[in-house]
Amino acid sequence: MTATKQLATPYIDGDAHHQNHWTAEEANNARVVVDFLQHLMNEHDVAYIRQTYGHSAYRQHNRAIPNGIHGVAGYVEELTKRFPEYSYDVKRVIASGDFVVTHSHATLKAKQRGDASQGFIITDTFRLEHGQLAEHWDAIQPIDLSARFIFLMTGGTIANDNPTF
């Protein structure tokens, strides 16, 4: 009998990204975004995302993803069916007023985690209203050849009419 290796769920340490100059509102906004990304991108807990954030009016500016929290949750749910080890390693969190920006390294496979030559560089920009997720923009850069191929194969579908800028 062969033992299977249990993969640890990546963890985004929001406290490690906290900046002392942030206002209380900025710190709270950063906590909301980190919680959202941790549960969605690393734990793939779409039920938690829908329950916790599904009531907010969330406008999606990634044209491949439908509007609303349910749209992004469904998108990630489908993505993780194909790539169950998909994860986000948040490198930076920047908070300024109602905006939180994260700079992350996303990978499709656990063995790629920590390998800067694999996966995607992703910058997410969130706008919050009263501590609730309101809007999202992203910029995605595939790093390696296979990520570039996957990016090309899955792109092109327009799921909302929102402007990208």
Side-chain angles (χ1 to χ4, degrees), residues 14-15 18 22 24 26-36 53 100:
D15 291 338
H18 179 84
W22 287 349
E26 290 167 339
N28 183 64
N29 287 345
R31 275 191 295 278
V32 168
V33 168
V34 165
D35 181 71
F36 178 75
Y53 299 103
V100 175

Side-chain angles (χ1 to χ4, degrees), residues 112-148:
Q112 296 173 335
R113 293 176 190 153
D115 182 350
S117 70
Q118 301 289 311
F120 302 85
I121 301 164
I122 301 179
T123 301
D124 291 289
T125 302
F126 294 90
R127 186 179 67 78
L128 291 87
E129 287 180 359
H130 311 292
Q132 300 290 316
L133 296 169
E135 289 186 87
H136 170 257
W137 298 261
D138 59 21
I140 304 170
Q141 178 184 354
I143 300 170
D144 61 285
L145 184 60
S146 62
R148 290 176 188 194

